[in-house]
Amino acid sequence: MQWLYANHPERGFLLSDVQEPRVDGIPKLTARIVASYRVINDSTVHANVFDETETAIIHDVFPDILQAQLFILKNVLSEADSSPELAPQT
C-alpha cells in the first residue's frame, strides 16, 4: 500500500496493489483506493475507509492530517487481517 497525494497534501489516497490472475499466467496489477482524507479547513480533516466497491464504510473527522492518516491505517490494517485482497502481496 502507498499514499498518493493530489496536487497538494490536503487530499490523499491510500492505494492497494491487487494482483489478478490472467489466462496467459502473467498477473494483472491494478491499484484500488482503500481510503482517503480531505482537509476541510484548518482544524477539520475528513477521513474515509472504503470497501471493495469503493463505497465509504467508515468515516470520521479529525483536527489534523496525521491523526486522519493514523485512523485510516489502523482501520485498513485491521480490515486486511480479514480480507486476503488487502493483505501484503509477496
Coordinates of all heavy atoms in Angstrom, one line a residue:
M1 N 0.8 -1.2 0.0 CA 0.0 0.0 0.0 C 0.9 1.2 0.0 O 2.0 1.2 0.6 CB -0.9 0.0 1.2 CG -2.1 -1.0 1.1 SD -3.2 -0.8 2.5 CE -2.9 -2.3 3.3
Q2 N 0.4 2.3 -0.6 CA 1.1 3.5 -0.6 C 0.2 4.7 -0.7 O -0.9 4.6 -1.2 CB 2.1 3.6 -1.8 CG 1.4 3.6 -3.2 CD 2.4 3.6 -4.3 OE1 3.5 3.3 -4.2 NE2 1.9 3.9 -5.5
W3 N 0.7 5.9 -0.2 CA -0.1 7.1 -0.3 C 0.1 7.8 -1.6 O 1.2 7.8 -2.1 CB 0.3 8.0 0.9 CG -0.2 7.6 2.2 CD1 0.6 7.0 3.2 CD2 -1.5 7.8 2.7 NE1 -0.2 6.8 4.3 CE2 -1.5 7.2 4.0 CE3 -2.6 8.3 2.2 CZ2 -2.6 7.2 4.8 CZ3 -3.8 8.3 3.0 CH2 -3.7 7.8 4.3
L4 N -1.0 8.3 -2.2 CA -0.9 9.1 -3.4 C -1.6 10.4 -3.0 O -2.7 10.4 -2.4 CB -1.7 8.4 -4.5 CG -1.9 9.2 -5.8 CD1 -0.6 9.4 -6.5 CD2 -2.9 8.6 -6.7
Y5 N -0.9 11.5 -3.3 CA -1.4 12.8 -3.0 C -1.9 13.5 -4.2 O -1.2 13.5 -5.2 CB -0.4 13.7 -2.2 CG 0.1 13.0 -1.0 CD1 1.3 12.3 -1.0 CD2 -0.7 13.0 0.2 CE1 1.7 11.6 0.2 CE2 -0.3 12.4 1.3 CZ 0.9 11.7 1.3 OH 1.3 11.0 2.5
A6 N -3.0 14.2 -4.1 CA -3.4 15.1 -5.3 C -2.4 16.2 -5.4 O -1.4 16.2 -4.8 CB -4.9 15.6 -5.0
N7 N -2.7 17.2 -6.1 CA -1.8 18.3 -6.4 C -1.2 18.9 -5.1 O -0.3 19.7 -5.2 CB -2.5 19.4 -7.2 CG -2.9 18.9 -8.5 OD1 -2.2 18.1 -9.1 ND2 -4.0 19.4 -9.1
H8 N -1.7 18.6 -4.0 CA -1.2 19.2 -2.7 C -1.5 18.1 -1.6 O -2.4 17.3 -1.8 CB -1.9 20.5 -2.4 CG -3.3 20.5 -2.7 ND1 -4.3 19.9 -1.9 CD2 -4.0 21.0 -3.7 CE1 -5.5 20.0 -2.4 NE2 -5.4 20.7 -3.5
P9 N -0.8 18.2 -0.5 CA -1.1 17.2 0.6 C -2.4 17.4 1.3 O -2.7 16.6 2.3 CB 0.1 17.5 1.6 CG 0.5 18.9 1.3 CD 0.2 19.2 -0.1
E10 N -3.2 18.3 0.9 CA -4.5 18.5 1.6 C -5.5 17.4 1.2 O -6.6 17.4 1.7 CB -5.1 19.9 1.3 CG -4.2 20.9 2.0 CD -4.7 22.3 1.6 OE1 -5.5 22.5 0.8 OE2 -4.2 23.3 2.3
R11 N -5.2 16.6 0.2 CA -6.0 15.5 -0.2 C -5.1 14.3 -0.5 O -4.2 14.4 -1.3 CB -6.8 15.9 -1.5 CG -7.9 14.9 -1.8 CD -9.0 15.6 -2.7 NE -9.9 14.6 -3.1 CZ -11.0 14.3 -2.4 NH1 -11.3 14.9 -1.3 NH2 -11.9 13.4 -2.9
G12 N -5.4 13.2 0.2 CA -4.6 12.0 0.0 C -5.4 10.7 -0.2 O -6.5 10.6 0.3
F13 N -4.8 9.8 -0.9 CA -5.5 8.5 -1.1 C -4.5 7.4 -0.8 O -3.3 7.4 -1.1 CB -5.8 8.4 -2.6 CG -6.7 9.5 -3.1 CD1 -6.2 10.6 -3.6 CD2 -8.1 9.4 -3.0 CE1 -7.0 11.7 -4.1 CE2 -8.9 10.4 -3.5 CZ -8.4 11.6 -4.0
L14 N -5.0 6.4 -0.1 CA -4.2 5.2 0.2 C -4.6 4.1 -0.8 O -5.8 3.7 -1.0 CB -4.5 4.7 1.6 CG -3.6 3.5 2.1 CD1 -2.2 3.9 2.1 CD2 -4.1 3.0 3.4
L15 N -3.6 3.7 -1.6 CA -3.8 2.7 -2.7 C -3.3 1.3 -2.3 O -2.3 1.2 -1.6 CB -3.1 3.1 -4.0 CG -3.5 4.5 -4.5 CD1 -2.7 4.8 -5.8 CD2 -4.9 4.6 -4.8
S16 N -4.0 0.3 -2.7 CA -3.5 -1.1 -2.5 C -3.3 -1.7 -3.9 O -4.1 -1.6 -4.8 CB -4.6 -1.9 -1.8 OG -4.3 -3.2 -1.7
D17 N -2.2 -2.4 -4.0 CA -1.9 -3.1 -5.3 C -2.6 -4.5 -5.2 O -2.5 -5.2 -4.2 CB -0.4 -3.4 -5.4 CG 0.4 -2.1 -5.6 OD1 -0.2 -1.1 -6.1 OD2 1.5 -2.0 -5.3
V18 N -3.4 -4.8 -6.3 CA -4.1 -6.0 -6.3 C -3.6 -6.8 -7.6 O -3.6 -6.2 -8.7 CB -5.6 -5.8 -6.4 CG1 -6.4 -7.1 -6.6 CG2 -6.1 -5.0 -5.2
Q19 N -3.2 -8.0 -7.4 CA -2.8 -8.9 -8.5 C -3.9 -9.8 -8.9 O -4.5 -10.5 -8.0 CB -1.6 -9.7 -8.1 CG -0.3 -8.9 -7.9 CD 0.9 -9.7 -7.7 OE1 0.9 -10.9 -7.9 NE2 2.0 -9.1 -7.2
E20 N -4.3 -9.7 -10.1 CA -5.4 -10.6 -10.6 C -4.8 -11.6 -11.6 O -4.0 -11.2 -12.5 CB -6.5 -9.7 -11.3 CG -7.1 -8.6 -10.4 CD -8.0 -7.7 -11.2 OE1 -8.5 -8.1 -12.3 OE2 -8.2 -6.6 -10.7
P21 N -5.2 -12.8 -11.5 CA -4.7 -13.8 -12.4 C -5.2 -13.6 -13.8 O -6.3 -13.1 -14.0 CB -5.2 -15.2 -11.8 CG -6.3 -14.8 -11.0 CD -6.1 -13.4 -10.5
R22 N -4.4 -13.9 -14.8 CA -4.8 -13.8 -16.2 C -4.6 -15.2 -16.9 O -3.8 -16.0 -16.4 CB -4.0 -12.8 -17.0 CG -4.3 -11.4 -16.5 CD -3.7 -10.3 -17.3 NE -2.6 -10.7 -18.1 CZ -1.9 -9.8 -18.9 NH1 -2.2 -8.5 -18.8 NH2 -0.9 -10.2 -19.6
V23 N -5.2 -15.4 -18.0 CA -5.1 -16.6 -18.8 C -3.7 -16.9 -19.2 O -3.2 -18.1 -19.1 CB -6.0 -16.6 -20.0 CG1 -5.9 -17.9 -20.8 CG2 -7.5 -16.4 -19.6
D24 N -2.9 -15.9 -19.6 CA -1.5 -16.1 -20.0 C -0.5 -16.3 -18.9 O 0.6 -16.5 -19.1 CB -1.1 -14.9 -20.9 CG -1.1 -13.6 -20.2 OD1 -1.3 -13.6 -18.9 OD2 -0.8 -12.6 -20.8
G25 N -1.0 -16.3 -17.6 CA -0.2 -16.6 -16.5 C 0.6 -15.4 -15.9 O 1.1 -15.4 -14.8
I26 N 0.5 -14.2 -16.6 CA 1.2 -13.0 -16.1 C 0.1 -12.2 -15.3 O -0.9 -11.9 -15.9 CB 1.7 -12.2 -17.3 CG1 2.7 -12.9 -18.1 CG2 2.3 -10.9 -16.7 CD1 3.2 -12.3 -19.4
P27 N 0.3 -12.0 -14.0 CA -0.8 -11.4 -13.3 C -1.0 -9.9 -13.7 O 0.0 -9.2 -14.0 CB -0.2 -11.5 -11.8 CG 1.2 -11.7 -11.9 CD 1.5 -12.4 -13.3
K28 N -2.2 -9.5 -13.6 CA -2.6 -8.1 -13.9 C -2.5 -7.4 -12.6 O -3.1 -7.8 -11.6 CB -4.0 -8.1 -14.5 CG -4.5 -6.7 -14.7 CD -6.0 -6.8 -15.2 CE -6.6 -5.4 -15.3 NZ -8.0 -5.5 -15.6
L29 N -1.8 -6.3 -12.6 CA -1.6 -5.5 -11.4 C -2.5 -4.2 -11.5 O -2.4 -3.5 -12.5 CB -0.1 -5.1 -11.2 CG 0.2 -4.3 -10.0 CD1 0.0 -5.2 -8.7 CD2 1.7 -3.9 -10.0
T30 N -3.3 -4.0 -10.6 CA -4.2 -2.9 -10.6 C -4.1 -2.2 -9.2 O -3.7 -2.8 -8.2 CB -5.7 -3.2 -10.8 OG1 -6.1 -4.1 -9.8 CG2 -5.9 -3.8 -12.2
A31 N -4.5 -0.9 -9.1 CA -4.5 -0.2 -7.8 C -5.9 0.1 -7.5 O -6.7 0.4 -8.3 CB -3.7 1.1 -8.0
R32 N -6.2 -0.1 -6.2 CA -7.6 0.2 -5.7 C -7.5 1.2 -4.6 O -6.6 1.1 -3.7 CB -8.2 -1.1 -5.2 CG -9.6 -0.9 -4.7 CD -10.3 -2.2 -4.3 NE -9.8 -2.8 -3.1 CZ -10.3 -2.4 -1.9 NH1 -11.1 -1.5 -1.8 NH2 -9.8 -3.0 -0.8
I33 N -8.3 2.2 -4.6 CA -8.4 3.2 -3.5 C -9.0 2.5 -2.3 O -10.2 2.1 -2.4 CB -9.1 4.4 -3.9 CG1 -8.5 5.1 -5.1 CG2 -9.3 5.4 -2.7 CD1 -9.3 6.3 -5.6
V34 N -8.3 2.4 -1.2 CA -8.8 1.8 0.0 C -9.2 2.8 1.1 O -10.0 2.5 2.0 CB -7.9 0.7 0.6 CG1 -7.7 -0.4 -0.3 CG2 -6.5 1.3 1.0
A35 N -8.7 4.0 0.9 CA -9.0 5.1 1.9 C -8.6 6.5 1.3 O -7.8 6.5 0.4 CB -8.3 4.8 3.2
S36 N -9.2 7.5 1.9 CA -8.8 8.9 1.5 C -9.0 9.8 2.7 O -9.8 9.5 3.6 CB -9.6 9.3 0.3 OG -10.9 9.6 0.7
Y37 N -8.4 11.0 2.6 CA -8.7 12.1 3.5 C -8.7 13.4 2.7 O -8.2 13.5 1.6 CB -7.6 12.2 4.6 CG -6.3 12.6 4.2 CD1 -6.0 14.0 4.1 CD2 -5.3 11.7 3.9 CE1 -4.7 14.4 3.7 CE2 -4.0 12.1 3.5 CZ -3.7 13.5 3.4 OH -2.5 13.9 3.0
R38 N -9.4 14.3 3.3 CA -9.5 15.7 2.7 C -9.6 16.7 3.7 O -10.3 16.6 4.7 CB -10.8 15.7 1.8 CG -11.0 17.0 1.1 CD -12.2 17.0 0.1 NE -13.4 16.6 0.8 CZ -14.4 17.4 1.0 NH1 -14.3 18.7 0.7 NH2 -15.5 17.0 1.6
V39 N -8.7 17.7 3.6 CA -8.7 18.9 4.5 C -9.9 19.8 4.2 O -10.1 20.2 3.1 CB -7.4 19.6 4.5 CG1 -7.4 20.9 5.4 CG2 -6.2 18.7 4.8
I40 N -10.8 20.0 5.2 CA -11.9 20.8 5.1 C -11.5 22.3 5.4 O -11.8 23.2 4.7 CB -13.1 20.4 6.0 CG1 -13.4 18.9 5.7 CG2 -14.3 21.3 5.8 CD1 -13.9 18.6 4.3
N41 N -10.9 22.5 6.6 CA -10.4 23.8 7.0 C -9.2 23.6 7.9 O -8.7 22.4 8.1 CB -11.5 24.6 7.6 CG -12.1 24.0 8.8 OD1 -11.5 23.3 9.6 ND2 -13.5 24.1 8.9
D42 N -8.7 24.6 8.6 CA -7.5 24.5 9.4 C -7.6 23.5 10.6 O -6.6 23.0 11.1 CB -7.2 25.9 10.0 CG -6.7 26.8 9.0 OD1 -6.3 26.3 7.9 OD2 -6.6 28.0 9.2
S43 N -8.8 23.2 11.0 CA -9.0 22.2 12.1 C -9.9 21.1 11.8 O -10.4 20.4 12.8 CB -9.5 23.0 13.3 OG -10.8 23.6 13.0
T44 N -10.2 20.8 10.6 CA -11.1 19.7 10.2 C -10.5 18.9 9.0 O -10.3 19.5 8.0 CB -12.5 20.2 9.9 OG1 -12.9 21.1 10.9 CG2 -13.5 19.1 9.7
V45 N -10.3 17.6 9.3 CA -9.9 16.7 8.2 C -10.8 15.5 8.2 O -11.1 14.9 9.2 CB -8.4 16.2 8.4 CG1 -8.0 15.2 7.3 CG2 -7.4 17.4 8.5
H46 N -11.4 15.3 7.0 CA -12.4 14.2 6.9 C -11.7 13.0 6.3 O -11.0 13.1 5.3 CB -13.6 14.6 6.0 CG -14.7 13.6 6.0 ND1 -15.1 13.1 4.8 CD2 -15.4 13.1 6.9 CE1 -16.1 12.2 5.1 NE2 -16.3 12.2 6.3
A47 N -11.9 11.8 7.0 CA -11.2 10.6 6.5 C -12.3 9.5 6.2 O -13.3 9.4 6.9 CB -10.3 10.0 7.6
N48 N -12.0 8.7 5.1 CA -12.9 7.7 4.7 C -12.1 6.4 4.5 O -11.0 6.4 3.9 CB -13.6 8.0 3.3 CG -14.5 9.1 3.4 OD1 -15.5 9.0 4.2 ND2 -14.3 10.2 2.7
V49 N -12.7 5.3 4.8 CA -12.2 3.9 4.5 C -13.2 3.3 3.6 O -14.4 3.3 4.0 CB -11.9 3.1 5.8 CG1 -11.4 1.7 5.4 CG2 -10.8 3.8 6.7
F50 N -12.8 2.7 2.5 CA -13.7 2.2 1.5 C -13.7 0.6 1.5 O -12.7 0.0 1.9 CB -13.3 2.6 0.1 CG -13.3 4.1 0.0 CD1 -12.1 4.8 -0.1 CD2 -14.4 4.9 0.0 CE1 -12.0 6.2 -0.2 CE2 -14.4 6.3 -0.1 CZ -13.2 6.9 -0.2
D51 N -14.8 0.1 1.0 CA -14.9 -1.4 0.8 C -14.4 -1.7 -0.6 O -13.9 -0.8 -1.3 CB -16.3 -1.9 1.1 CG -17.3 -1.4 0.2 OD1 -17.0 -0.7 -0.8 OD2 -18.5 -1.7 0.4
E52 N -14.6 -2.9 -1.1 CA -14.2 -3.4 -2.4 C -14.8 -2.6 -3.5 O -14.3 -2.5 -4.6 CB -14.4 -4.9 -2.6 CG -13.6 -5.8 -1.7 CD -14.2 -5.9 -0.3 OE1 -15.4 -5.7 -0.2 OE2 -13.5 -6.1 0.7
T53 N -16.0 -2.1 -3.3 CA -16.7 -1.3 -4.4 C -16.4 0.2 -4.3 O -17.1 1.0 -4.9 CB -18.2 -1.5 -4.3 OG1 -18.7 -1.0 -3.0 CG2 -18.6 -3.0 -4.4
E54 N -15.4 0.6 -3.4 CA -15.0 1.9 -3.2 C -16.2 2.8 -2.6 O -16.3 4.0 -2.9 CB -14.4 2.6 -4.4 CG -13.1 1.9 -4.8 CD -12.4 2.5 -5.9 OE1 -12.7 3.6 -6.4 OE2 -11.4 1.9 -6.4
T55 N -17.0 2.1 -1.8 CA -18.0 2.8 -1.0 C -17.5 3.0 0.4 O -17.0 2.1 1.0 CB -19.3 2.0 -1.0 OG1 -19.7 1.7 -2.3 CG2 -20.4 2.6 -0.2
A56 N -17.7 4.3 0.9 CA -17.2 4.6 2.3 C -17.9 3.7 3.3 O -19.1 3.8 3.3 CB -17.3 6.0 2.6
I57 N -17.2 2.9 4.1 CA -17.8 2.1 5.1 C -17.5 2.7 6.5 O -18.2 2.4 7.4 CB -17.4 0.7 5.0 CG1 -15.9 0.5 5.0 CG2 -18.0 0.0 3.8 CD1 -15.4 -0.9 5.2
I58 N -16.4 3.4 6.6 CA -16.0 4.0 7.9 C -15.6 5.4 7.6 O -14.8 5.7 6.7 CB -14.9 3.3 8.6 CG1 -15.2 1.8 8.8 CG2 -14.5 3.9 9.9 CD1 -14.0 1.0 9.2
H59 N -16.0 6.4 8.4 CA -15.5 7.8 8.2 C -15.5 8.5 9.5 O -16.3 8.1 10.5 CB -16.3 8.5 7.1 CG -17.8 8.7 7.5 ND1 -18.2 9.8 8.2 CD2 -18.8 7.9 7.3 CE1 -19.5 9.6 8.3 NE2 -19.9 8.5 7.8
D60 N -14.7 9.5 9.7 CA -14.6 10.3 10.9 C -14.0 11.6 10.6 O -13.4 11.8 9.5 CB -13.8 9.5 11.9 CG -14.3 9.9 13.4 OD1 -14.9 10.9 13.6 OD2 -14.0 9.1 14.3
V61 N -14.0 12.5 11.5 CA -13.4 13.8 11.4 C -12.3 14.0 12.4 O -12.5 13.6 13.6 CB -14.5 14.9 11.5 CG1 -13.9 16.3 11.4 CG2 -15.6 14.7 10.5
F62 N -11.2 14.6 12.0 CA -10.0 14.8 12.9 C -9.5 16.2 12.8 O -9.8 16.9 11.8 CB -8.9 13.8 12.4 CG -9.3 12.4 12.6 CD1 -9.9 11.8 11.5 CD2 -9.2 11.7 13.8 CE1 -10.4 10.4 11.6 CE2 -9.7 10.4 13.9 CZ -10.2 9.8 12.8
P63 N -8.7 16.7 13.8 CA -8.2 18.0 13.8 C -7.0 18.2 12.9 O -6.6 19.4 12.6 CB -7.8 18.3 15.2 CG -7.6 16.9 15.8 CD -8.5 16.0 15.1
D64 N -6.3 17.1 12.4 CA -5.1 17.3 11.6 C -4.9 16.1 10.7 O -5.5 15.0 10.9 CB -3.9 17.6 12.4 CG -3.6 16.5 13.4 OD1 -3.6 15.3 13.1 OD2 -3.3 16.9 14.6
I65 N -4.1 16.2 9.7 CA -3.8 15.1 8.7 C -3.2 13.9 9.4 O -3.6 12.8 9.0 CB -2.9 15.7 7.6 CG1 -3.7 16.7 6.7 CG2 -2.4 14.5 6.7 CD1 -2.8 17.4 5.7
L66 N -2.3 14.1 10.3 CA -1.6 12.9 10.9 C -2.6 12.0 11.6 O -2.6 10.8 11.4 CB -0.5 13.4 11.9 CG 0.3 12.3 12.6 CD1 1.0 11.4 11.5 CD2 1.2 12.9 13.5
Q67 N -3.5 12.6 12.4 CA -4.5 11.8 13.1 C -5.4 11.1 12.1 O -5.8 9.9 12.3 CB -5.3 12.6 14.1 CG -4.5 13.0 15.3 CD -5.3 13.8 16.3 OE1 -6.5 13.5 16.5 NE2 -4.7 14.7 17.0
A68 N -5.8 11.8 11.0 CA -6.6 11.1 10.0 C -5.9 10.0 9.3 O -6.5 8.9 9.1 CB -7.0 12.2 8.9
Q69 N -4.6 10.1 9.0 CA -3.8 9.0 8.4 C -3.7 7.9 9.4 O -3.8 6.7 8.9 CB -2.4 9.5 8.0 CG -2.4 10.4 6.8 CD -1.1 10.9 6.4 OE1 -0.2 11.2 7.3 NE2 -0.8 11.1 5.1
L70 N -3.4 8.1 10.6 CA -3.3 7.0 11.6 C -4.7 6.3 11.7 O -4.7 5.0 11.8 CB -2.9 7.6 13.0 CG -1.5 8.1 13.0 CD1 -1.2 8.8 14.4 CD2 -0.5 7.0 12.8
F71 N -5.8 7.0 11.7 CA -7.1 6.4 11.8 C -7.3 5.4 10.5 O -7.7 4.3 10.7 CB -8.2 7.4 11.8 CG -9.6 7.0 11.5 CD1 -10.3 6.4 12.5 CD2 -10.1 7.1 10.2 CE1 -11.6 5.9 12.2 CE2 -11.4 6.7 9.9 CZ -12.1 6.1 10.9
I72 N -6.9 6.0 9.4 CA -7.0 5.2 8.1 C -6.2 3.9 8.2 O -6.6 2.8 7.9 CB -6.7 6.1 6.9 CG1 -7.8 7.1 6.7 CG2 -6.4 5.2 5.7 CD1 -7.4 8.2 5.6
L73 N -4.9 4.1 8.6 CA -4.0 2.9 8.6 C -4.5 1.9 9.6 O -4.5 0.7 9.3 CB -2.6 3.4 8.9 CG -1.9 4.2 7.8 CD1 -0.5 4.7 8.3 CD2 -1.7 3.3 6.6
K74 N -4.9 2.3 10.8 CA -5.4 1.4 11.8 C -6.6 0.6 11.3 O -6.7 -0.6 11.4 CB -5.8 2.2 13.1 CG -6.4 1.3 14.1 CD -6.8 2.1 15.3 CE -8.1 1.5 15.9 NZ -9.0 2.4 16.5
N75 N -7.6 1.3 10.6 CA -8.7 0.6 10.1 C -8.4 -0.3 8.9 O -9.0 -1.4 8.7 CB -9.8 1.6 9.8 CG -10.5 2.1 11.1 OD1 -11.3 1.3 11.7 ND2 -10.2 3.3 11.5
V76 N -7.6 0.2 8.0 CA -7.2 -0.6 6.8 C -6.4 -1.8 7.2 O -6.7 -2.9 6.7 CB -6.4 0.3 5.8 CG1 -5.8 -0.6 4.7 CG2 -7.3 1.3 5.2
L77 N -5.5 -1.7 8.2 CA -4.7 -2.9 8.6 C -5.6 -3.9 9.3 O -5.5 -5.1 9.1 CB -3.6 -2.4 9.5 CG -2.5 -1.7 8.7 CD1 -1.4 -1.2 9.7 CD2 -1.9 -2.5 7.6
S78 N -6.6 -3.4 10.1 CA -7.5 -4.4 10.8 C -8.4 -5.1 9.8 O -8.7 -6.2 9.9 CB -8.3 -3.7 11.8 OG -9.3 -2.8 11.3
E79 N -8.8 -4.4 8.7 CA -9.6 -5.0 7.6 C -8.7 -6.0 6.8 O -9.2 -7.0 6.3 CB -10.2 -3.9 6.7 CG -11.1 -4.5 5.7 CD -11.9 -3.5 4.9 OE1 -12.3 -2.5 5.5 OE2 -12.1 -3.7 3.7
A80 N -7.4 -5.6 6.6 CA -6.5 -6.5 5.9 C -6.4 -7.9 6.6 O -6.2 -8.9 5.9 CB -5.2 -5.8 5.7
D81 N -6.5 -7.9 7.9 CA -6.4 -9.1 8.6 C -7.5 -10.1 8.2 O -7.3 -11.3 8.3 CB -6.4 -8.9 10.1 CG -5.1 -8.2 10.6 OD1 -4.1 -8.3 9.9 OD2 -5.2 -7.6 11.7
S82 N -8.6 -9.5 7.8 CA -9.8 -10.4 7.5 C -10.1 -10.4 6.0 O -11.0 -11.1 5.5 CB -11.0 -9.8 8.2 OG -11.3 -8.5 7.8
S83 N -9.3 -9.7 5.2 CA -9.5 -9.7 3.7 C -8.2 -10.0 3.0 O -7.3 -9.2 3.0 CB -10.0 -8.3 3.3 OG -10.0 -8.2 1.9
P84 N -8.2 -11.2 2.3 CA -7.0 -11.5 1.5 C -6.6 -10.5 0.5 O -5.4 -10.4 0.1 CB -7.3 -12.9 1.0 CG -8.8 -13.0 1.0 CD -9.2 -12.1 2.1
E85 N -7.5 -9.8 -0.1 CA -7.2 -8.8 -1.1 C -6.3 -7.7 -0.6 O -5.5 -7.1 -1.3 CB -8.5 -8.2 -1.7 CG -8.3 -7.2 -2.8 CD -9.6 -6.6 -3.3 OE1 -10.5 -7.4 -3.6 OE2 -9.7 -5.4 -3.5
L86 N -6.5 -7.3 0.7 CA -5.7 -6.2 1.2 C -4.5 -6.7 1.9 O -3.6 -5.9 2.3 CB -6.6 -5.4 2.2 CG -7.7 -4.6 1.6 CD1 -8.5 -4.0 2.8 CD2 -7.3 -3.6 0.6
A87 N -4.3 -8.0 2.0 CA -3.0 -8.5 2.6 C -1.9 -8.1 1.8 O -2.0 -8.0 0.5 CB -3.2 -10.0 2.8
P88 N -0.7 -7.9 2.3 CA 0.5 -7.6 1.6 C 0.8 -8.7 0.5 O 0.7 -9.9 0.8 CB 1.6 -7.5 2.6 CG 0.9 -7.3 3.9 CD -0.4 -7.9 3.8
Q89 N 1.1 -8.3 -0.7 CA 1.5 -9.2 -1.8 C 2.9 -9.6 -1.6 O 3.8 -8.8 -1.4 CB 1.2 -8.6 -3.1 CG -0.2 -8.1 -3.3 CD -1.2 -9.2 -3.5 OE1 -0.9 -10.2 -4.1 NE2 -2.4 -9.0 -2.9
T90 N 3.2 -10.9 -1.8 CA 4.6 -11.4 -1.7 C 5.0 -12.0 -3.1 O 4.2 -12.3 -3.9 CB 4.7 -12.5 -0.6 OG1 3.8 -13.6 -0.9 CG2 4.5 -11.9 0.7

